[in-house]
Amino acid sequence: MASWEVLGKPANILAMDRQSEFHERIGGDNLAALWVARRGMDLTRPASPAEPVIWPYDEIRCHLIEAGDLVSAGEAFRRVLVLENPAFKGRMQATNTLYAGLQLVLPGETAPCHRHSQTAIRFVIEGAGGYTAVDGERIPLSRGDFVITPNWTWHDHGNRGDAPVIWLDVLDTPLVGFLDTVFRENYPKPLHPIIRNEGETRARYGAGMIPVDFDPSQNPLPLTHYPYAESRAALTAMADSAPPDPTHGLKMQYTNPATGAPATPTMAAFLQHLPKGFIGQSYRSTESTVVCVAEGRGRSTIDGVSLEWGPGDVFVVPGWLRHRHEAEDEAVLFSVSDRPVQQALGLWREERHGGGANL
Ligand code: 1HN
């Protein structure tokens, strides 16, 4: 037997045996060896498991209308089809931080009142006559309206019209769940009493003024309704007066009018105009994004995956994947991302690429 062998095994095999035995033994003490756990991992850049994926509105709408036959809004509590990223099957996640779903409220229905520690963003895809009530004030929902349900506010929904109302919900539930900060409470009655006139909050905070003694710490998200008629008119006026950004077209961020901060502390919302024939340059940022097509048709190429889109479609742009948008017709995209959280923590990064074709 050669001197470097013990019991017929080469010394390097013996060392590996000792290492494996060590790893197993310390596992019993709830310990792990960092040099093993990180072996082979590329730690130089983010690699989100989330996939670029699209939910075509026509298909989801069919399923939603069928769901409308199967279950009432009251019985379901919220009649929602969850947009689940295939990378997170069974976990109700569109991205690592964002939940997305399409909600249907039929004429005459109401959805019961509750509140929770997650913040909700709603973007109306179809219908008129719908409303959501936030802390006892009804907010009428028209197509393209952007509405916020701030965390821990009472909210119920209804439809006083004669056609189905469908909207996109985006919530920060994966993030709030990750932080172990989920609280939830049902209101003791099905609906919260109406305690403010319709339009009161918009008059107070949405007319370019705020009450003289307003204290944002007492009311962190004062404005909850951003009607499409106003947002779209602003986009049109700006698109007519300045050339589009080569990457984003004309991209505007919804803001908290009292502070200038993003629309909510956890989720930013954007409205973006792409002129007819626009071919955007490629871009990536660390935020993960849920996009809903408000108007027009086009295509987004995300990490080499091409997604064709039209009105009402919802798609996901995971963080740090190169992507670019192209518009066949004049198009408007509404989007929600986790950028405020990343920025607040000093983690957000972006990277622009010239040329347009370097995906
Ligand atoms: C929620 O409260 C609503 O109020 C919709 O419409 C979807 C998904 C997860 C948690 C709470 C709503 C939700 C939700």
Side-chain angles (χ1 to χ4, degrees):
M1 191 162 68
S3 62
W4 43 271
E5 288 182 354
V6 178
L7 302 171
K9 281 190 171 183
N12 59 343
I13 302 277
L14 271 175
M16 278 169 57
D17 284 353
R18 283 185 54 214
Q19 282 185 2
S20 318
E21 185 276 329
F22 173 74
H23 300 147
E24 211 159 297
R25 183 155 40 85
I26 64 170
D29 291 334
N30 300 323
L31 296 169
L34 183 63
W35 64 91
V36 178
R38 294 187 147 198
R39 198 173 279 160
M41 284 170 73
D42 179 359
L43 301 168
T44 59
R45 61 184 66 90
S48 173
E51 293 176 24
V53 54
I54 187 160
W55 292 270
Y57 184 59
D58 293 346
E59 286 174 24
I60 311 169
R61 187 183 190 282
C62 271
H63 295 313
L64 254 186
I65 297 295
E66 189 180 343
D69 250 0
L70 294 173
V71 62
S72 71
E75 189 188 344
F77 205 86
R78 296 293 185 261
R79 192 196 289 108
V80 171
L81 294 183
V82 180
L83 310 182
E84 267 195 338
N85 194 300
F88 303 117
K89 265 268 170 278
R91 288 167 49 185
M92 301 215 298
Q93 289 180 231
T95 78
N96 53 323
T97 53
L98 300 174
Y99 158 102
L102 285 201
Q103 181 156 182
L104 166 69
V105 183
L106 290 170
E109 284 187 328
T110 54
C113 187
H114 73 162
R115 64 180 176 178
H116 39 68
S117 52
Q118 298 100 336
T119 299
I121 277 177
R122 324 209 185 260
F123 183 72
V124 184
I125 299 178
E126 179 181 325
Y131 70 86
T132 181
V134 176
D135 276 342
E137 179 181 327
R138 282 199 188 113
I139 300 169
L141 301 176
S142 299
R143 207 185 72 78
D145 284 7
F146 160 53
V147 175
I148 300 170
T149 310
N151 68 2
W152 214 241
T153 54
W154 294 112
H155 55 285
D156 47 65
H157 316 304
N159 181 351
R160 293 178 290 181
D162 50 17
V165 171
I166 298 175
W167 66 77
L168 169 72
D169 291 313
V170 183
L171 285 89
D172 52 10
T173 52
L175 180 69
V176 176
F178 180 76
L179 297 172
D180 276 343
T181 48
V182 176
F183 293 90
R184 188 197 145 109
E185 198 176 4
N186 283 338
Y187 194 70
K189 294 186 186 142
L191 301 177
H192 194 285
I194 297 300
I195 55 173
R196 280 196 301 268
N197 293 329
E198 217 168 279
E200 198 177 317
T201 293
R202 267 193 59 66
R204 187 168 293 143
Y205 305 111
M209 303 179 281
I210 51 172
V212 67
D213 288 324
F214 180 76
D215 176 0
S217 70
Q218 297 303 306
N219 188 357
L221 299 182
L223 189 61
T224 44
H225 184 201
Y226 302 71
Y228 192 61
E230 289 177 23
S231 318
R232 182 65 172 97
L235 281 191
T236 307
M238 282 181 285
D240 286 349
S241 63
D245 175 88
T247 298
H248 300 303
L250 174 74
K251 188 168 182 178
M252 301 296 286
Q253 182 171 184
Y254 293 92
T255 56
N256 176 333
T259 61
T264 84
T266 49
M267 296 179 287
F270 309 88
L271 198 66
Q272 179 173 4
H273 177 270
L274 308 176
K276 182 180 165 70
F278 180 77
I279 299 180
Q281 291 182 356
S282 98
Y283 174 84
R284 62 179 169 179
S285 64
T286 48
E287 74 217 79
S288 68
T289 306
V290 173
V291 183
C292 182
V293 181
E295 290 179 43
R297 300 199 162 269
R299 175 188 312 111
S300 295
T301 307
I302 306 165
D303 195 29
V305 178
S306 180
L307 306 175
E308 306 270 343
W309 42 255
D313 294 354
V314 179
F315 62 94
V316 158
V317 184
W320 212 239
L321 293 189
R322 289 200 181 115
H323 60 277
R324 65 193 167 103
H325 303 304
E326 294 171 51
E328 225 170 88
D329 322 319
E330 178 184 25
V332 178
L333 304 178
F334 171 82
S335 58
V336 177
S337 87
D338 55 7
R339 185 148 141 185
V341 180
Q342 298 193 357
Q343 284 186 322
L345 302 177
L347 296 169
W348 183 79
R349 283 199 204 189
E350 67 175 339
E351 192 176 82
R352 282 172 180 258
H353 300 259
N358 52 347
L359 277 170

